[in-house]
Amino acid sequence: MVCKEKSKGGLGVRDVRIVNLSLLTKWRWRLLLPGRALWKDVLVAKYGRHILTNVDWSGVRIPTMASKWWRDICSLDKLVESKNWLVESMVRRLGNGNSTYFWTSIWTGDVSISARFPRLFSLSNQKESMINELCEYDGERWNWTFSWRRALFLWEEELVVRLRDLLATVNLLMEDDGWKWVPDPEGVFSVKSTYLHLVDELRSGEVLEDGKAMIFDHIWDSPAPSKVIAFSWQLLHDRIPTRSNLAVRGILVADVPWECVGCVGSVESSIHLFLHCPSALKVWYDIFRWLGLVIVIPPSLFLLFEVLRASARNVKIRKGFLLIWHATIWSLWKARNGSIFANESFAPNDIVEEIKVTSWKWSLARLKVPPCMYYEWTWDPGDCLLR
Ligand SMILES: [Zn+2]
């Protein structure tokens, strides 16, 4: 994999920058910790109360009178391309539930309950309630009480059942709610863990940048059908209608289609559906095994494309590998749509077979060679073509 040149001995300019960013991050962490302090009061008066309660400041406008120091602190949200790394790094640690918003804080799973159940959130009379205001312990278990603006329809009642299922394992404790610093195994903030985490995050970002232009040059150079390549291209730009993309654009209204079809409880984003989902991982690993490749799955689809390209011994094999990359993306998407719209199962083994058949067809039609030319072991097309 591509690696940036590192300065030998001592810290390079880039390292110093990352140390500074880690030190700035410490202020964000300290603002979230409980306890009053004069410096906090001064900042709250200047910039607003959200700085004591919110991790995500990405939507907040920075006042024109803000100092350079404050601007730098605000810009931490946008440090890593394509995601807010702070939101992923600072998560709520649930204690007695008395300072965590039930609907809008992220405290179970990786999204807020309002994002997972937008319809119920819109109907709730308790939008501002803390967790402990909604539940009570009866000596045996925690009972949740919800209040709605109007009587619920049957399908909305079903959402409540799903919500209650999600809450079934919640257990409030004696101690206060707090924050957990994800990059540290103990959950406690340190500049060192921040530095190491940022080095990782920023390095993969840079490789992505370097690689992107080249990948977009190569992506059309494939015998896959053009509608398939166009889809892959949109996927790499994160412009396909996954559930999270629809939600961001406000198109998704029903609550039900939030979860990924390949696993339980994850939001369907592009990177999840095509790479991080356990089902997608199984598909990729099966495909690699089929191709005789030993590959550790990289953190992005860009890098996966690049790793496959680099694994090929010659031009013909490279074309074959990339054809299979496209076929894998395409088959995952088809299976996902089949699962959502036609109630079909989303089974990794079936998807792998589909990929084999599809790439075999494309290869014969467009490369005029049977795919076994570039596979590393003997292939028996009868396996697939008879299905
Ligand atoms: Zn999944």
Side-chain angles (χ1 to χ4, degrees):
M1 227 188 268
V2 198
C3 241
K4 284 261 153 180
E5 203 183 314
K6 271 198 157 179
S7 64
K8 293 188 185 77
L11 291 177
V13 175
R14 190 169 152 276
D15 297 312
V16 171
R17 183 173 158 259
I18 296 179
V19 170
N20 283 337
L21 292 168
S22 308
L23 288 165
L24 282 174
T25 308
K26 189 174 182 182
W27 289 101
R28 294 286 289 261
W29 176 256
R30 291 179 64 193
L31 279 165
L32 290 174
L33 293 185
R36 288 193 63 173
L38 183 60
W39 66 272
K40 284 190 186 181
D41 292 344
V42 171
L43 290 172
V44 166
K46 242 175 141 176
Y47 303 116
R49 278 211 77 74
H50 70 278
I51 64 171
L52 298 183
T53 50
N54 295 9
V55 179
D56 187 1
W57 299 2
S58 51
V60 180
R61 210 180 56 82
I62 305 174
T64 42
M65 49 68 174
S67 66
K68 169 87 173 66
W69 173 76
W70 189 253
R71 283 174 194 281
D72 286 346
I73 285 184
C74 294
S75 69
L76 288 169
D77 290 81
K78 300 190 182 94
L79 210 54
V80 177
E81 200 197 20
S82 82
K83 66 173 177 185
N84 187 330
W85 71 284
L86 273 177
V87 170
E88 290 176 12
S89 302
M90 295 185 199
V91 300
R92 207 72 182 125
R93 175 157 37 199
L94 188 62
N96 53 20
N98 71 356
S99 62
T100 303
Y101 292 103
F102 175 84
W103 287 102
T104 51
S105 298
I106 298 175
W107 59 276
T108 170
D110 49 9
V111 287
S112 65
I113 293 188
S114 61
R116 199 172 289 192
F117 297 93
R119 165 63 67 127
L120 294 182
F121 178 60
S122 72
L123 293 172
S124 175
N125 286 326
Q126 303 155 306
K127 291 194 176 69
E128 303 272 295
S129 296
M130 299 296 164
I131 292 171
N132 68 343
E133 296 173 277
L134 269 66
C135 71
E136 225 172 343
Y137 193 64
D138 67 4
E140 257 176 51
R141 60 202 184 95
W142 293 93
N143 294 309
W144 297 85
T145 312
F146 302 109
S147 160
W148 311 109
R149 280 197 282 116
R150 57 159 169 76
L152 300 186
F153 296 119
L154 194 59
W155 72 274
E156 292 164 345
E157 293 284 6
E158 284 168 17
L159 295 174
V160 179
V161 172
R162 284 170 56 108
L163 174 59
R164 287 185 186 281
D165 278 351
L166 181 74
L167 299 172
T169 53
V170 172
N171 193 17
L172 298 189
L173 308 168
M174 298 292 282
E175 71 211 39
D176 284 337
D177 297 340
W179 292 94
K180 184 174 160 201
W181 180 246
V182 178
D184 179 80
E186 305 283 305
V188 180
F189 182 90
S190 69
V191 172
K192 185 182 171 194
S193 63
T194 312
Y195 173 82
L196 293 173
H197 183 64
L198 277 177
V199 167
D200 260 8
E201 290 278 9
L202 294 173
R203 182 159 54 213
S204 58
E206 278 167 23
V207 175
L208 214 70
E209 276 310 302
D210 291 349
K212 256 182 189 173
M214 190 175 60
I215 288 167
F216 283 122
D217 285 348
H218 289 303
I219 193 167
W220 296 96
D221 179 27
S222 168
S226 54
K227 68 169 178 188
V228 171
I229 299 178
F231 178 79
S232 301
W233 187 89
Q234 286 180 313
L235 170 64
L236 291 180
H237 283 85
D238 199 16
R239 287 193 201 147
I240 61 161
T242 56
R243 291 153 168 187
S244 70
N245 277 350
L246 291 178
V248 166
R249 283 187 266 148
I251 295 171
L252 208 66
V253 283
D255 301 46
V256 184
W258 246 100
E259 277 177 12
C260 166
V261 295
C263 62
V264 179
S266 295
V267 174
E268 184 196 70
S269 62
S270 303
I271 189 78
H272 176 86
L273 180 67
F274 290 93
L275 197 63
H276 294 163
C277 178
S279 297
L281 281 175
K282 174 154 178 22
V283 168
W284 285 113
Y285 278 123
D286 282 1
I287 290 297
F288 293 155
R289 200 171 310 124
W290 176 57
L291 293 174
L293 298 172
V294 179
I295 291 179
V296 174
I297 298 273
S300 77
L301 287 162
F302 275 103
L303 289 172
L304 186 58
F305 187 93
E306 202 37 45
V307 168
L308 267 180
R309 249 177 59 80
S311 304
R313 278 182 290 115
N314 59 45
V315 176
K316 198 174 260 178
I317 290 177
R318 187 176 310 141
K319 270 196 189 304
F321 281 2
L322 297 187
L323 183 94
I324 290 165
W325 181 88
H326 283 295
T328 306
I329 301 267
W330 186 245
S331 302
L332 281 166
W333 185 245
K334 268 177 61 186
R336 174 264 191 200
N337 288 340
S339 172
I340 294 176
F341 302 116
N343 221 6
E344 293 163 7
S345 69
F346 187 86
N349 289 343
D350 294 347
I351 297 171
V352 169
E353 291 309 308
E354 170 73 21
I355 295 164
K356 292 177 181 174
V357 176
T358 304
S359 53
W360 177 267
K361 281 187 201 152
W362 291 348
S363 190
L364 281 183
R366 290 153 194 270
L367 286 180
K368 310 288 181 208
V369 293
C372 49
M373 292 292 288
Y374 45 76
Y375 301 156
E376 303 253 346
W377 69 104
T378 49
W379 140 299
D380 179 5
D383 279 359
C384 296
L385 295 180
L386 290 176
R387 287 169 61 92

